[in-house]
């Protein structure tokens, strides 16, 4: 059992060090900017949809 765990850890380390293609710092930065921009855009769309739904519910369907 212990030998299997040790072998698994060694193979995982070998794969991470020698076989995985890690992004460069500039690739990582540009990907982060894309994710941040998309997240902000989605948050804005959700906010606008929520505001519109709130307006419809409060002022059109159930006015005070």
């Amino acid at each position: 059992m212990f030998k299997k765990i040790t072998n698994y850890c060694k193979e995982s380390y070998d794969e991470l060090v020698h076989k995985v293609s890690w992004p460069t710092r500039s690739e990582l930065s540009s990907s982060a900017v894309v994710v941040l921009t998309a997240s902000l855009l989605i948050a804005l769309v959700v906010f606008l949809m929520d505001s519109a739904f709130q307006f419809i519910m409060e002022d059109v369907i159930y006015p005070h």
Side-chain angles (χ1 to χ4, degrees):
M1 173 79 173
F2 185 71
K3 186 176 180 176
K4 286 183 180 181
I5 294 172
T6 305
N7 191 29
Y8 174 77
C9 291
K10 286 180 182 179
E11 289 177 1
S12 296
Y13 176 79
D14 183 53
E15 184 173 345
L16 285 171
V17 171
H18 300 293
K19 297 180 183 177
V20 173
S21 172
W22 296 99
T24 63
R25 183 173 285 279
S26 63
E27 290 173 336
L28 193 60
S29 296
S30 57
S31 294
V33 169
V34 169
V35 169
L36 179 65
T37 304
S39 298
L40 290 175
L41 183 63
I42 290 170
L44 179 64
V45 168
V46 169
F47 173 75
L48 293 173
M49 289 173 61
D50 184 56
S51 297
F53 186 71
Q54 181 179 0
F55 171 76
I56 291 169
M57 291 300 290
E58 290 179 352
D59 295 338
V60 176
I61 296 178
Y62 300 111
H64 292 119

